[in-house]
Amino acid sequence: MGENTGREVELTVERIAHGGISVGRLDGRVVFVADAIPGETVRARISDDRKKSFWRADAIEVLAPSEHRRDHVWPVASIARDPRQRAGGAEFGHIALSHQRELKRQVLAESLQRMAGVESDVRVEQLPGDHAANGLGWRTRIRLHVDDEGRIGPMASRSHTVIPVTDAPLASPAVQAATPFSERFTGLGTVDVLAPTVGDARLVLGEQKPTVISERVGERTFRLDDTGFWQVHREAPAALTAAVQAAIDDAAFDPRAANLDLYGGVGLLAAAVGDRFGASTRVTSVEADERATERAAENLAEWVGAAAVTGRVDRFLRELEQSASAAERARLRAATVVLDPPRAGAGTEVMAALGRLSPAQLVYVACDPVALARDVALAAQHGYRLARLRAFDLFPHTHHVEAVASLVRD
């Protein structure tokens, strides 16, 4: 850290940036400010001045508040606390819910315009129940960390410091009730608490061996490991199922084609495709996690044409390119490909391979707007354009936003 670390400055923040931080300027230098809202004037403390091009700072006092500022939904994360002692995981908790969605919209639209040259009037849709609950009580899973004294809590933002807490207001009532806030856990790194839709809430302590749970989405039940990936918001699996089904162009869908569900997890979106287009649907789910693939095979068993393959997506596509016969390539060109990559996105190699295989349409589920915009630009190099885009507030009181993009060949 340099000589400016710890210095307190007055800043007027201008706009929101990717990652949920606001942007201000100090003597012409960009300063990324946590816990401020665009339009506000704040007193901020410089936390990192190592870069020549920008500094980082934390708001410590609001001098001219935004009309959208609210009391923080989680006092342990509020601006009243020392920045080093603010709980992470609710970085938009001081902003009115409707304005949170507007800020997320701005980041998504700006990313698409800047990186892909695409103008978008996308809006961020709220999920059922969130307005009435003020964006609280939606998390069906939380991960808490253990400090040196055995107390549990989240880490502070951009830090490995554990902040002990006695509540978790973003968690569902069942998760909150099952969380052992007052207990001590020595020798453990993490404590996971989850409340599946089937059965009781449970704890997963440290590297505990996984057990199988069930989650219901509409009339369908999915089996998965309690340590495995599942959408966190109580309404997210149903919302994404419906969004993916709506994002597929019926006219371009061929149930007999070599349809793919990449980064498929336990088969949620492959099942969405199968439910939308019927018993004859062919779809292959590709997932790197072997245990998730085993669960996907069970969850997709009713479709004779469904399969679940364990493998990294980039390697799977590379082998497909190398080994596909002329008939298989034709089925791939007729295919619909659903992909739900991790936060880093699909990336250059995967998007290039998809471009060469040239499926009829791509339905891209994204949890990071910048990664999505980059991949939309990469797809454009292979003749795909963004035909439809929806965005969902799957993570109220955080900066995260989910998007579902339809990419079609011109």
Side-chain angles (χ1 to χ4, degrees):
M1 299 296 178
E3 60 184 19
N4 288 287
T5 298
R7 174 184 165 196
E8 294 183 5
V9 298
E10 183 176 313
L11 294 167
T12 298
V13 294
E14 305 159 357
R15 61 183 179 85
I16 197 71
H18 178 53
I21 47 181
S22 294
V23 181
R25 290 186 181 273
L26 182 65
D27 301 326
R29 183 192 305 276
V30 169
V31 182
F32 292 119
V33 189
D35 298 318
I37 305 172
E40 289 188 328
T41 300
V42 299
R43 188 161 60 90
R45 183 177 298 143
I46 305 297
S47 59
D48 188 347
D49 64 349
R50 290 174 294 181
K51 300 277 189 181
K52 289 186 178 180
S53 55
F54 67 86
W55 290 349
R56 293 189 180 275
D58 297 290
I60 55 174
E61 182 183 2
V62 182
L63 304 176
S66 164
E67 63 182 301
H68 305 293
R69 180 169 283 275
R70 301 289 185 268
D71 289 340
H72 204 291
V73 296
W74 199 10
V76 292
S78 78
I79 197 172
R81 290 173 66 100
D82 184 296
R84 294 165 296 186
Q85 294 299 314
R86 292 176 194 167
E91 64 278 3
F92 272 9
H94 59 289
I95 307 173
L97 262 185
S98 60
H99 195 59
Q100 293 181 29
R101 294 194 294 273
E102 167 59 18
L103 295 177
K104 296 176 188 189
R105 183 203 67 78
Q106 290 176 15
V107 171
L108 179 54
E110 190 275 334
S111 298
L112 285 167
Q113 195 282 325
R114 177 171 51 88
M115 302 187 73
V118 173
E119 299 293 335
S120 173
D121 59 357
V122 66
R123 67 182 184 90
V124 178
E125 304 172 37
Q126 62 184 338
L127 267 58
D130 282 346
H131 177 76
N134 189 32
L136 303 178
W138 54 267
R139 291 193 68 107
T140 61
R141 288 153 167 72
I142 60 173
R143 165 162 287 186
L144 299 174
H145 299 268
V146 182
D147 73 2
D148 292 340
E149 298 177 36
R151 300 171 299 180
I152 59 173
M155 290 182 179
S157 296
R158 298 186 304 279
S159 168
H160 294 293
T161 300
V162 177
I163 309 300
V165 297
T166 57
D167 68 344
L170 302 192
S172 71
V175 168
Q176 285 240 53
T179 303
F181 293 108
S182 61
E183 294 184 24
R184 296 290 182 267
F185 296 87
T186 54
L188 290 177
T190 58
V191 174
D192 291 327
V193 190
L194 61 151
T197 50
V198 179
D200 297 329
R202 61 176 60 204
L203 303 182
V204 179
L205 305 178
E207 300 300 315
Q208 184 175 319
K209 184 179 178 180
T211 58
V212 177
I213 60 172
S214 294
E215 293 279 6
R216 286 192 65 78
V217 183
E219 298 301 311
R220 185 167 295 287
T221 298
F222 293 85
R223 286 165 55 80
L224 64 147
D225 287 355
D226 55 4
T227 57
F229 174 79
W230 187 251
Q231 291 290 337
V232 171
H233 193 296
R234 66 180 184 281
E235 297 289 344
L240 290 177
T241 292
V244 165
Q245 290 172 336
I248 297 172
D249 180 356
D250 291 15
F253 186 84
D254 180 352
R256 297 176 304 281
N259 302 300
L260 297 174
D261 173 28
L262 305 180
Y263 313 95
V266 296
L268 174 69
L269 300 183
V273 177
D275 279 335
R276 172 72 180 80
F277 292 100
S280 64
T281 302
R282 289 185 55 182
V283 61
T284 298
S285 177
V286 183
E287 166 60 47
D289 184 296
E290 185 175 1
R291 289 185 64 90
T293 307
E294 291 175 8
R295 302 284 87 80
E298 298 173 18
N299 297 330
L300 301 173
E302 71 184 68
W303 290 281
V304 175
V309 174
T310 301
R312 280 180 38 175
V313 168
D314 55 349
R315 292 176 182 167
F316 173 84
L317 294 176
R318 193 183 314 133
E319 291 170 5
L320 205 57
E321 281 192 273
Q322 293 169 353
S323 63
S325 66
E328 288 169 333
R329 285 185 175 275
R331 285 195 293 271
L332 284 162
R333 284 193 298 274
T336 293
V337 175
V338 177
L339 60 161
D340 183 9
R343 199 165 303 284
T348 304
E349 186 175 349
V350 168
M351 295 308 294
L354 288 172
R356 291 188 296 270
L357 292 168
S358 197
Q361 59 185 326
L362 307 174
V363 176
Y364 191 129
V365 180
C367 58
D368 185 279
V370 169
L372 171 65
R374 179 204 63 211
D375 289 346
V376 167
L378 290 169
Q381 297 174 12
H382 296 273
Y384 289 89
R385 63 177 174 82
L386 181 62
R388 290 178 300 281
L389 178 68
R390 293 175 70 187
F392 300 89
D393 195 11
L394 265 54
F395 311 94
H397 298 301
T398 82
H399 73 274
H400 298 293
V401 61
E402 197 92 356
V404 178
S406 302
L407 296 162
V408 299
R409 285 197 312 240
D410 282 326

